[in-house]
Amino acid sequence: MNRLRSVGETHFFRHPAQFDHMAKVLGGDRSPVRIWSAGCANGAEIYSAVLLLAQRRPLERGRFTFTGSDFNADAIEGARQGRFSSWHMRGCSERLREQYFRQVDEGVWQLDRDVVEQVHFFCHDLLEGSEIEPQDVIFCRNVLIYMDPASMARVVDRLFHWLAPEGILYLGYSEAVLAGEHPGLQLIDSSLAAYRRKSFELTTLPVPVLLPPVPLEPLRLNPLRPRLAGRPEALAFLEEAAHFVNNDQPRQASRSLKKSLYLDPSLAVSHYQLGLLELGEQRVEQARRHWRNVITLARRQAPTDTVPGWDGCTWDQLLQWTSKQLKRLGETDV
Ligand SMILES: C[S@@+](CC[C@H](N)C(=O)[O-])C[C@H]1O[C@@H](n2cnc3c(N)ncnc32)[C@H](O)[C@@H]1O
């Protein structure tokens, strides 16, 4: 299976509405509750869950189990240390900083041992790793976007199996479309990218479980290189858009992408990305328009050439993925 390069960008309380939602859902006295951050990078995500719940009421021994996993051993090593830069802490309130962290160096913060010890970290590959016991909450955010379509489908299906009945899966905002067509997952709220495992027996699922190929998010994957084709000014806006996407600012990202297209209307990667962003805002017609542009552009290129702005992606791949996106939106002639 094709592996695309992945980055460990993360910070505390990324997508805060999802954490608020989790705290509300777990508000009762349910016990035990298992919470797992799959693809946890340096652990900021799972520690955010610990801090939020600990703030609401002292964590009773045995009520929660917190787990963090990543296939990157260095990330896990870092997560176990619980040491963070101010950049990773940018989502943390002053109060939390004071209550749970100690500054150990210029711009470096150490999380209290008590909190660090709440979390069990281990190396685990979501594609090939061993089975996991059923989890009540799984965060798997900003991980799938680095995978090829077949791998994404496999991981979504594995996540489904690792959820306890009625368990909740939080994906990254730009990944929300991925799980939508899994028959065992029910969308709770599209603005939260949150899914609940439906409570019916697996045997009642329609088989085979086929997930649609899903969008990769090229802007995250591909720092722009000067050697790429495309007008440099347009590529600079693409880079700006990548920054906004990485910081969960889709509207600003949209604006930058539009600027890049104004300067270079042939930048297929911008059209593709805008299609995703438009779909995320439920603007299906606009998404369609951008993806049709991608198809037109891709058909003019040599299939094995690399798409400018998207390292490692050929025109042929882009054509296939975009056609599948359009088919999902009901287009038959692609
Ligand atoms: C961008 S970070 C996301 C961190 C955190 N989930 C968040 O949203 O803030 C992506 C993480 O996913 C991990 N990852 C990518 N593919 C993986 C796989 N197949 N199995 C486990 N971890 C993976 C990477 O090592 C990286 O640390």
Side-chain angles (χ1 to χ4, degrees):
M1 252 173 274
N2 178 25
R3 287 287 173 81
L4 293 165
R5 192 155 48 86
S6 155
V7 296
E9 168 58 21
T10 186
H11 59 89
F12 276 85
F13 297 102
R14 190 177 195 178
H15 311 327
Q18 291 181 326
F19 286 101
D20 291 342
H21 182 261
M22 178 200 71
K24 219 182 293 164
V25 172
L26 302 179
D29 281 325
R30 272 174 56 193
S31 175
V33 177
R34 295 196 179 90
I35 302 173
W36 176 29
S37 159
C40 65
N42 68 7
E45 184 172 74
I46 190 69
Y47 287 133
S48 301
V50 180
L51 294 182
L52 185 69
L53 294 170
Q55 272 224 312
R56 305 233 157 169
R57 71 184 208 209
L59 297 177
E60 298 144 36
R61 191 160 277 286
R63 178 158 180 235
F64 294 102
T65 62
F66 298 98
T67 308
S69 69
D70 202 289
F71 71 175
N72 179 335
D74 292 339
I76 290 298
E77 192 43 47
R80 286 188 181 127
Q81 284 171 17
R83 207 161 261 216
F84 297 95
S85 68
S86 304
W87 178 249
H88 292 127
M89 305 262 298
R90 63 192 189 277
C92 248
S93 66
E94 206 49 51
R95 194 153 71 92
L96 277 179
R97 262 179 213 236
E98 278 167 20
Q99 201 174 345
Y100 294 104
F101 293 85
R102 165 172 66 86
Q103 188 160 11
V104 287
D105 209 339
E106 180 74 30
V108 183
W109 299 75
Q110 175 64 52
L111 183 55
D112 282 357
R113 253 6 286 165
D114 289 354
V115 177
V116 171
E117 281 165 9
Q118 295 273 351
V119 184
H120 168 61
F121 286 103
F122 71 114
C123 265
H124 182 262
D125 184 338
L126 288 164
L127 273 164
E128 283 142 26
S130 56
E131 290 305 317
I132 305 289
E133 62 181 334
Q135 302 289 314
D136 299 289
V137 173
I138 301 179
F139 287 93
C140 186
R141 309 181 308 167
N142 311 300
V143 178
L144 302 173
I145 48 172
Y146 301 105
M147 295 177 186
D148 63 84
S151 305
M152 288 184 202
R154 176 169 159 75
V155 171
V156 170
D157 196 45
R158 294 193 94 195
L159 291 169
F160 159 74
H161 282 95
W162 289 327
L163 278 173
E166 302 286 315
I168 294 178
L169 169 66
Y170 296 103
L171 296 177
Y173 282 0
S174 52
E175 298 163 324
V177 283
L178 310 188
E181 298 189 16
H182 191 290
L185 293 170
Q186 182 174 21
L187 183 66
I188 300 175
D189 182 339
S190 61
S191 68
L192 285 175
Y195 291 83
R196 190 189 302 281
R197 182 181 163 140
K198 289 181 192 166
S199 48
F200 51 72
E201 287 306 307
L202 258 183
T203 48
T204 66
L205 286 179
V207 280
V209 176
L210 279 181
L211 287 167
V214 278
L216 289 172
E217 198 162 347
L219 297 174
R220 289 192 192 230
L221 304 174
N222 299 287
L224 298 167
R225 307 269 159 73
R227 66 185 168 73
L228 291 171
R231 285 185 58 178
E233 312 86 337
L235 291 175
F237 278 119
L238 191 54
E239 193 162 22
E240 184 181 83
H243 165 79
F244 286 130
V245 169
N246 282 332
N247 285 290
D248 306 318
Q249 294 172 288
R251 296 229 163 95
Q252 290 88 330
S254 242
R255 269 201 292 274
S256 303
L257 289 167
K258 283 175 186 158
K259 286 181 194 164
S260 76
L261 286 175
Y262 177 73
L263 292 169
D264 184 352
S266 72
L267 214 48
V269 63
S270 293
H271 281 296
Y272 186 79
Q273 181 66 28
L274 269 168
L276 291 179
L277 293 173
E278 296 288 12
L279 197 62
E281 300 282 332
Q282 317 289 324
R283 289 193 288 266
V284 177
E285 259 326 299
Q286 282 92 327
R288 246 190 211 130
R289 191 162 47 79
H290 283 295
W291 286 337
R292 277 198 213 114
N293 289 339
V294 175
I295 301 272
T296 308
L297 290 165
R299 284 192 176 135
R300 289 188 200 140
Q301 311 294 328
T304 52
D305 280 0
T306 300
V307 179
W310 192 344
D311 242 2
C313 175
T314 62
W315 283 105
D316 187 43
Q317 273 174 317
L318 184 60
L319 186 62
Q320 283 182 36
W321 291 337
T322 312
S323 306
K324 282 172 182 157
Q325 294 286 16
L326 280 167
K327 281 190 185 130
R328 287 180 60 215
L329 296 183
E331 303 245 335
T332 47
D333 59 341
V334 279

